[in-house]
Amino acid sequence: MKHYHFMLFLSIPLLWAFSGARKACEYAGSNIQFAKEQTELALGEDNINKAKYFAYKALNAIENTKGQLRECGCEKAEFSFIKSLENLKQATRSKELNKAKKLIWEALSFAEEGIEALQAYKDGNVVPEKTHTTSKERSKTYFLHTEIDKSLEAYKKSLDEIVRSVDCGGALEFAERVYNHSEKQLLKPNLSEGKRYYNLRVKEIT
């Protein structure tokens, strides 16, 4: 009986500790998800002041979650969110929209890695190691996507004009032809990042 009471005595603080860590992980996950959403809003802005406004909200959410992240115990997630925070801080100091967006893109990338690591940690799984892309590689990809999006603005306007001015059957035939062509391109192996993104966007727009 004494042995039973002794084991029960030892188990109570362990249960409290586990419960506290789990709650900390849940709280951190909720705050970080909010930070990710604000970062995405910042990335979608074309006005630097509005972009900075959402970036501030995101960094404040991460800043206020530092204690919970430490208590949670997921070091991989904590590291990713600290890197996200650093990029957001730099973005809010930037005077140029392109530079700010580059940093916000970095912040979002790290936030997504952190959320994945935190979820795996809460589920008791091990996150598989990824080949982490460098800052230079992520920036290159971001600006490549931006340039492609700009180039497709003309296509989007042309498509809208076709839909308005051509009869329904003709417009549908044209759209289906473009859509199917993009799908076939995306099935090709070893497609470059630029071509892959271009065809994906054409398909989405169409």
Side-chain angles (χ1 to χ4, degrees):
M1 182 63 73
K2 285 182 180 179
H3 176 72
Y4 169 77
H5 284 301
F6 178 69
M7 292 300 293
L8 182 63
F9 175 75
L10 286 177
S11 68
I12 290 172
L14 288 173
L15 288 170
W16 282 345
F18 175 76
S19 177
R22 189 170 185 83
K23 284 181 180 178
C25 290
E26 293 291 341
Y27 181 84
S30 177
N31 268 22
I32 294 302
Q33 187 60 42
F34 173 78
K36 176 179 174 287
E37 290 167 3
Q38 298 306 303
T39 306
E40 289 171 335
L41 289 172
L43 197 60
E45 286 293 341
D46 290 325
N47 179 291
I48 191 166
N49 291 324
K50 287 183 179 179
K52 284 184 178 183
Y53 168 75
F54 289 116
Y56 270 120
K57 291 182 75 174
L59 74 85
N60 282 334
I62 298 175
E63 194 77 64
N64 293 334
T65 314
K66 280 182 176 179
Q68 281 72 33
L69 284 169
R70 279 192 295 271
E71 190 178 344
C72 174
C74 182
E75 293 180 2
K76 192 167 185 176
E78 187 177 1
F79 171 80
S80 294
F81 295 134
I82 287 171
K83 297 298 290 182
S84 181
L85 182 63
E86 288 172 359
N87 279 282
L88 287 169
K89 284 180 177 178
Q90 289 181 55
T92 58
R93 299 184 191 119
S94 178
K95 294 180 180 179
E96 295 179 28
L97 182 61
N98 278 347
K99 286 184 179 179
K101 281 201 169 188
K102 175 184 169 184
L103 291 160
I104 292 166
W105 179 270
E106 287 281 306
L108 180 61
S109 178
F110 279 115
E112 287 173 342
E113 286 181 14
I115 288 170
E116 184 179 343
L118 186 62
Q119 187 59 54
Y121 182 77
K122 289 190 320 188
D123 294 342
N125 300 323
V126 177
V127 183
E129 287 295 328
K130 296 180 178 178
T131 304
H132 188 73
T133 53
T134 64
S135 173
K136 187 176 181 180
E137 287 170 336
R138 280 197 295 269
S139 299
K140 186 179 178 181
T141 301
Y142 168 67
F143 283 110
L144 173 66
H145 289 186
T146 302
E147 289 304 309
I148 290 171
D149 285 335
K150 285 179 183 176
S151 72
L152 287 172
E153 282 300 314
Y155 168 68
K156 189 175 181 181
K157 289 177 183 176
S158 298
L159 187 62
D160 288 340
E161 185 60 34
I162 289 169
V163 171
R164 283 195 298 268
S165 58
V166 180
D167 66 275
C168 184
L172 181 61
E173 184 183 350
F174 172 79
E176 284 181 337
R177 189 165 64 248
V178 174
Y179 186 92
N180 291 334
H181 175 74
S182 296
E183 274 202 328
K184 285 178 183 177
Q185 292 297 310
L186 288 167
L187 291 172
K188 289 182 178 180
N190 304 321
L191 207 62
S192 69
E193 172 60 24
K195 288 182 179 179
R196 187 195 68 79
Y197 184 75
Y198 174 84
N199 283 286
L200 184 64
R201 290 293 295 126
V202 168
K203 183 182 169 184
E204 287 174 349
I205 292 167
T206 307

